């Protein structure tokens, strides 16, 4: 693929910059392969097996999509809307019926059946007189290609094995491809299609990978291995830069990197206010990878366990969970790890478990409520966690607690599990602290009562805000109603923190607010000393902490309490 | 069986997200539900299928007809028409 011209001309391409940063690197050109599916038939008698193969592929595809969902958890609702469309296509009843008929009646192999049926709809939708609707043919192709890839038995992508400093140049990256980026070595992304609201853009920002979308013919104009500069701010891609251009972008890169470096200087420091007051910094993790940032934190404030359930085809066994929990505890060493029990249900489903369709999933059988129903599943997780507790400093936390009844119920299950372990002579740490997430208003308002029932609590500001404001945080259309800086939020936080501090019990915060430097001063002023966030945010929050004293923070928190609207509060905080 | 017509009012028409929302809503009902693009003299298609709805090309200003047949047909038509008329939160 290498260009044989000795003299390579510089070429400047303009696209849409959707994720900031300047990167120098080498191109890796990636075209979504156009698999030609041959029309293949089978001998009668194998219908059930082949229909099953198609069913299985759909289940696997759903698990993949859910994984992307979980990656997007901290990013935004926009990407999820697109994935909702993909899921709707995946489980479309017309497609289902036609594929099944094609397999059963025409004896067509499942992959060719999928290809045939999808192609019918791709051409119908693609020919729509409305360009916006015609664009949706891309979503159909995406789902088709995912299914075909799964049916070929391929799960890992070439994208996870790239050399360092690769700039990925693609024609049309799939969400499943994009979800691989974080684990790979991709320094920047250039894509022929897409815009700032595309799922790809949202993921790229989440991973902090400089990205330029909507660069037509990029995979034709750029050759493998060529030198590139990507400017994710202005949407520029320079191919084979000459010396002067290289220098100019070198300056730009230094400027951008300096800003980042300033933050990074704080990476390995402790969280300290200007007057020396300590604020403990925690990280939120969602898998058992080797280093999510343990060295730059004091504790793991939230260990999400959903990945164990979403990455597999059936419920994870006790032993599988035990090994993962043990590994995380050992990696974290002497730092406490707060394991949150399964938070599934609502919008997050498990393909191998049929849950009733609900009108209001977020107000439905979610998390702890589901666990109480699926007692075996709940007990298995608690057993695995307790058995792992001897390998580190484990804490167990229950999500979606809405009343003291819930707390007592969960604790009684834990007690029963402990008794079983005692009877079997299985070792565990009997002093594992037990806590709750405070994310439902009905428990937030009785913080002073619940405090006597638990060892600690952590405030989940995302769900708390969504329930407090009666606003779906993933619905972009009503974003203005999701007011995480509203007076109601800060008053609620204030009463929770005051109750826990008065009782001498640990209180922390693990929602998105903990990662927002604009909120840091208020949180500290309200009395919080434990902030847990995604590890990408710890440096900037530590830098913010170093700017003020406790007295200043308390004054700001006091001043907030008399402000009447979110707008007033944000304006005031920005003016400081 | 009951049928009702209405006009698509949301700016982007029955494209991805509104189509997915309509399917999700339609699936809550037992009734058989169909929708057709009256303006373009289209055939009725399954309203519980996103690929069929996308194939309608029901952009803003087009008139569609919804038909429901089954025990909960009245409620189904009522709710789906309300959803379409609400503009799927886009307006």
């Amino acid at each position: 693929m290498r260009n044989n011209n000795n003299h390579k001309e510089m070429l400047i391409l303009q696209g849409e910059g959707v994720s900031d940063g300047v990167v120098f690197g080498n191109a890796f050109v990636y075209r979504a392969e156009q698999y030609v599916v041959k029309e293949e038939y089978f001998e009668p008698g194998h219908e059930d097996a082949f229909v099953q193969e198609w069913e299985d592929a759909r289940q696997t595809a759903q698990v993949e999509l859910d994984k992307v969902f979980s990656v997007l958890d901290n990013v935004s609702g926009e990407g999820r809307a697109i994935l909702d469309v993909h899921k709707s296509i995946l489980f479309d009843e017309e497609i289902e019926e036609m594929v099944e008929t094609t397999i059963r009646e025409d004896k067509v192999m499942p992959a060719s059946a999928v290809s045939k049926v999808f192609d019918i709809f791709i051409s119908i939708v693609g020919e729509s007189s409305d360009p916006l609707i015609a664009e949706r043919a891309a979503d159909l192709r995406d789902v088709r290609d995912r299914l075909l890839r799964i049916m070929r038995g391929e799960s890992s992508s070439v994208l996870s094995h790239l050399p360092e400093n690769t700039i990925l140049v693609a024609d049309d990256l799939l969400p499943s491809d994009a979800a691989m980026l974080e684990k790979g070595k991709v320094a920047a992304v250039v894509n022929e299609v897409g815009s700032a609201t595309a799922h790809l853009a949202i993921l790229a920002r989440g991973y902090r990978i400089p990205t330029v979308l909507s660069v037509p013919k990029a995979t034709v104009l750029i050759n493998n291995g060529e030198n590139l500069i990507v400017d994710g701010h202005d949407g520029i891609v320079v191919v084979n830069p000459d010396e002067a251009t290289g220098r100019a972008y070198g300056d730009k890169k230094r400027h951008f990197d300096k800003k980042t470096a300033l933050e990074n200087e704080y990476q390995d420091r402790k969280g300290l206010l200007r007057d020396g007051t300590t604020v403990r910094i925690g990280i939120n993790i969602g898998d058992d990878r080797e280093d999510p940032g343990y060295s730059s934190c004091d504790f793991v404030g939230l260990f999400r366990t959903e990945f164990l359930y979403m990455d597999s085809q059936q419920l994870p066994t006790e032993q599988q969970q035990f090994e993962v929990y043990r590994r995380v505890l050992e990696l974290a060493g002497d730092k406490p790890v707060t394991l949150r029990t399964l938070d599934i249900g609502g919008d997050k489903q498990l393909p191998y478990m049929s849950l009733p369709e609900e009108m209001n999933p977020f107000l439905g059988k979610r998390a702890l409520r589901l666990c109480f129903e699926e007692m075996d599943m709940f007990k298995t997780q608690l057993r695995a966690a307790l058995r792992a507790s001897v390998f580190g400093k484990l804490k167990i936390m229950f999500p979606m607690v809405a009343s003291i009844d819930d707390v007592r119920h969960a604790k009684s299950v834990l007690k029963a599990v402990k008794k079983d372990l005692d009877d079997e002579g299985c070792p565990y740490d009997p002093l594992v602290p037990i806590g709750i997430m405070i994310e439902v208003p009905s428990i937030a308002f009785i913080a002073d009562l619940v405090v006597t029932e638990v060892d600690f609590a952590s405030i989940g500001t995302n769900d708390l805000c969504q329930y407090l404001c009666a606003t779906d945080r993933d619905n972009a259309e009503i974003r203005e109603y999701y007011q995480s800086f509203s007076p109601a939020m800060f008053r609620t936080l204030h009463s929770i923190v005051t109750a826990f501090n008065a009782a001498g019990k640990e209180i922390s915060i693990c929602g998105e607010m903990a990662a927002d430097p604009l909120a840091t001063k208020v949180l500290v002023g309200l009395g919080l000393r434990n902030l847990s966030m995604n590890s990408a945010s710890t440096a900037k929050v530590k830098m913010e902490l170093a700017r003020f004293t406790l007295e200043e923070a308390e004054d700001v928190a006091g001043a907030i309490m008399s402000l009447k609207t979110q707008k007033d509060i944000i304006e005031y905080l920005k003016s400081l | 069986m009951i049928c009702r017509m209405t006009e698509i009012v949301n700016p982007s028409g029955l494209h991805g997200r509104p189509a997915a929302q309509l399917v999700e809503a339609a699936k809550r009902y037992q009734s058989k539900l169909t929708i057709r693009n009256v303006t373009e003299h289209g055939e009725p298609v399954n309203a519980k299928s996103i690929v069929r709805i996308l194939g309608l090309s029901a952009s803003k200003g087009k008139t569609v007809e919804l038909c429901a047949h089954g025990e909960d047909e009245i409620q189904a038509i009522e709710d789906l028409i309300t959803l379409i008329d609400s503009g799927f939160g886009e307006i």
Side-chain angles (χ1 to χ4, degrees):
Chain A
M1 284 296 273
R2 281 201 70 90
N3 192 337
N4 286 326
N5 293 344
N6 286 330
H7 176 69
K8 287 186 190 169
E9 290 230 2
M10 182 170 87
L11 185 63
I12 296 177
L13 306 173
Q14 176 75 55
E16 189 177 351
V18 297
S19 177
D20 254 3
V22 176
V23 165
F24 290 66
N26 299 97
F28 176 81
V29 177
Y30 177 75
R31 288 188 197 89
E33 289 162 72
Q34 298 298 324
Y35 289 100
V36 182
V37 180
K38 275 188 292 184
E39 194 157 321
E40 286 180 301
Y41 298 85
F42 59 85
E43 293 296 315
H46 303 285
E47 289 83 356
D48 289 343
F50 285 122
V51 168
Q52 189 59 45
E53 193 182 319
W54 140 251
E55 294 291 343
D56 291 347
R58 286 206 299 176
Q59 296 302 340
T60 307
Q62 189 192 12
V63 172
E64 284 187 8
L65 286 174
D66 277 330
K67 244 160 107 176
V68 180
F69 267 74
S70 68
V71 170
L72 288 168
D73 210 21
N74 280 328
V75 188
S76 145
E78 300 164 67
R80 289 184 49 161
I82 298 161
L83 288 163
D84 280 342
V85 173
H86 286 202
K87 273 189 149 179
S88 188
I89 294 169
L90 183 61
F91 289 100
D92 190 279
E93 53 181 55
E94 295 264 321
I95 287 185
E96 176 175 342
E97 203 186 307
M98 284 172 71
V99 171
E100 203 177 320
T101 311
T102 311
I103 297 173
R104 284 195 192 281
E105 311 284 315
D106 306 342
K107 318 290 174 209
V108 172
M109 292 292 278
S112 359
V114 164
S115 179
K116 260 180 129 158
V117 171
F118 268 82
D119 287 353
I120 294 170
F121 289 106
I122 287 168
S123 64
I124 294 176
V125 174
E127 282 161 17
S128 172
S129 51
D130 178 347
L132 204 56
I133 291 172
E135 235 176 65
R136 296 278 76 82
D139 295 311
L140 283 164
R141 273 196 291 275
D142 188 323
V143 175
R144 176 197 64 188
D145 292 347
R146 185 189 300 279
L147 285 166
L148 293 178
R149 174 174 55 70
I150 290 166
M151 286 173 161
R152 283 194 309 273
E154 289 169 22
S155 57
S156 72
S157 160
V158 56
L159 298 178
S160 53
H161 311 287
L162 294 174
E164 296 272 354
N165 226 24
T166 295
I167 294 180
L168 183 63
V169 180
D171 52 355
D172 189 5
L173 222 50
L174 297 178
S176 53
D177 294 331
M180 306 291 295
L181 295 182
E182 186 185 34
K183 289 168 187 161
K185 309 278 172 52
V186 173
V189 171
V190 177
N191 200 44
E192 289 186 4
V193 296
S195 65
T197 53
H199 45 242
L200 180 55
I202 292 155
L203 283 170
R205 282 193 291 271
Y207 296 150
R208 297 171 152 213
I209 297 175
T211 296
V212 180
L213 302 184
S214 193
V215 183
K217 292 192 189 160
T219 60
V220 179
L221 297 169
I222 301 172
N223 295 307
N224 253 338
E226 277 184 318
N227 286 327
L228 298 184
I229 301 172
V230 172
D231 175 353
H233 186 263
D234 292 333
I236 303 265
V237 181
V238 186
V239 189
N240 300 317
D242 61 26
E243 227 182 294
T245 310
R247 260 200 312 277
Y249 273 99
D251 288 344
K252 193 163 180 180
K253 180 176 166 60
R254 268 188 295 281
H255 178 78
F256 181 85
D257 291 351
K258 210 166 101 186
K259 207 178 104 207
T260 319
L262 202 60
E263 287 177 9
N264 287 345
E265 263 184 48
Y266 285 84
Q267 188 68 61
D268 293 324
R269 299 193 194 172
K270 288 273 168 198
L272 288 177
L273 302 191
R274 209 171 76 221
D275 57 15
T277 308
T278 300
V279 174
R280 294 171 72 238
I281 299 293
I283 56 169
N284 301 343
I285 62 174
D287 55 35
D288 61 345
R289 87 180 69 156
E290 201 156 324
D291 188 18
Y294 291 125
S295 60
S296 49
C297 73
D298 301 306
F299 64 107
V300 176
L302 175 63
F303 172 25
R304 300 186 180 95
T305 53
E306 288 73 55
F307 75 102
L308 272 163
Y309 296 79
M310 300 200 349
D311 285 7
S312 74
Q313 301 284 2
Q314 62 271 314
L315 281 173
T317 64
E318 180 183 326
Q319 191 59 25
Q320 282 166 345
Q321 295 188 54
F322 164 75
E323 276 160 20
V324 169
Y325 300 156
R326 173 182 173 167
R327 181 172 151 78
V328 168
L329 285 166
E330 286 178 341
L331 285 167
D334 60 352
K335 291 166 182 171
V337 174
T338 309
L339 179 149
R340 181 181 70 185
T341 60
L342 185 61
D343 185 358
I344 207 99
D347 62 332
K348 283 191 203 128
Q349 301 271 327
L350 299 176
Y352 45 83
M353 201 166 161
S354 64
L355 302 173
E357 269 200 34
E358 297 177 305
M359 288 287 273
N360 290 303
F362 279 110
L363 305 179
K365 203 182 282 175
R366 185 187 159 190
L368 204 52
R369 296 169 182 177
L370 179 68
C371 286
F372 287 155
E373 191 116 319
E374 303 287 338
M375 205 41 98
D376 287 345
M377 178 181 82
F378 191 33
K379 283 186 168 174
T380 302
Q381 180 170 39
L382 293 175
R383 277 180 66 97
L386 282 172
R387 281 177 53 207
S389 65
V390 293
F391 296 97
K393 284 189 172 174
L394 179 74
K395 295 160 88 170
I396 294 177
M397 177 163 72
F398 300 114
M400 268 297 278
V401 169
S403 67
I404 287 178
D405 303 318
D406 289 344
V407 181
R408 291 182 179 164
H409 191 176
K411 282 170 75 179
S412 73
V413 177
L414 190 74
K415 203 171 152 194
V417 170
K418 283 184 175 174
K419 188 175 175 300
D420 290 346
L421 290 174
D422 286 337
D423 293 348
E424 296 162 31
C426 227
Y428 66 92
D429 174 3
L431 298 176
V432 169
I434 305 303
I436 56 168
M437 290 282 290
I438 298 187
E439 51 194 340
V440 179
S442 61
I443 206 75
F445 294 140
I446 57 165
D448 58 324
L449 300 176
V450 79
V451 71
T452 60
E453 308 265 332
V454 298
D455 299 316
F456 69 95
S458 185
I459 308 168
T461 49
N462 304 355
D463 276 324
L464 180 60
C465 182
Q466 130 164 315
Y467 291 132
L468 213 49
C469 301
T471 305
D472 178 356
R473 70 181 154 112
D474 294 319
N475 185 346
E477 319 282 348
I478 49 171
R479 192 176 293 143
E480 62 189 288
Y481 298 101
Y482 180 83
Q483 301 197 335
S484 56
F485 279 66
S486 62
M489 271 297 279
F490 287 120
R491 284 182 185 215
T492 309
L493 293 180
H494 181 229
S495 74
I496 299 167
V497 175
T498 307
F500 272 76
N501 283 344
K505 298 260 174 92
E506 185 192 294
I507 181 76
S508 65
I509 177 169
C510 64
E512 255 168 81
M513 198 184 250
D516 185 349
L518 194 61
T520 307
K521 205 175 281 177
V522 187
L523 297 177
V524 172
L526 289 174
L528 277 159
R529 296 292 178 274
N530 304 288
L531 311 177
S532 190
M533 62 204 77
N534 57 55
S535 65
S537 303
T538 54
K540 67 179 181 198
V541 170
K542 287 179 193 171
M543 186 159 100
E544 176 63 19
L545 288 169
R547 291 201 173 111
F548 57 86
T549 64
L550 183 57
E551 204 185 333
E552 286 163 12
E554 284 171 350
D555 287 348
V556 169
I560 290 283
M561 288 301 150
S562 59
L563 297 179
K564 290 178 181 163
T565 65
Q566 164 167 285
K567 188 164 168 276
D568 291 347
I569 291 178
I570 290 177
E571 271 172 16
Y572 168 69
L573 290 175
K574 284 189 172 163
S575 74
L576 292 172
Chain B
M1 182 166 89
I2 55 167
C3 295
R4 265 178 70 183
M5 287 194 199
T6 192
E7 191 181 310
I8 302 294
V9 288
N10 62 305
S12 56
L14 291 183
H15 79 303
R17 184 196 180 104
Q21 274 176 265
L22 188 63
V23 169
E24 199 192 323
K27 282 185 171 170
R28 295 198 193 113
Y29 299 95
Q30 312 246 296
S31 292
K32 190 172 163 14
L33 283 159
T34 61
I35 182 169
R36 75 183 182 98
N37 185 336
V38 178
T39 312
E40 292 185 357
H41 310 290
E43 293 288 311
V45 299
N46 184 354
K48 294 179 184 176
S49 162
I50 187 168
V51 293
R52 289 293 183 192
I53 291 178
L54 292 174
L56 284 176
S57 287
S59 44
K60 188 184 179 205
K62 299 275 162 65
T63 299
V64 295
E65 183 185 52
L66 265 170
C67 294
H69 182 65
E71 265 177 30
D72 49 8
E73 59 188 27
I74 296 173
Q75 195 57 42
I77 285 284
E78 188 73 24
D79 286 359
L80 294 184
I81 294 283
T82 308
L83 178 64
I84 294 173
D85 292 348
S86 75
F88 300 94
E90 281 184 7
I91 48 173

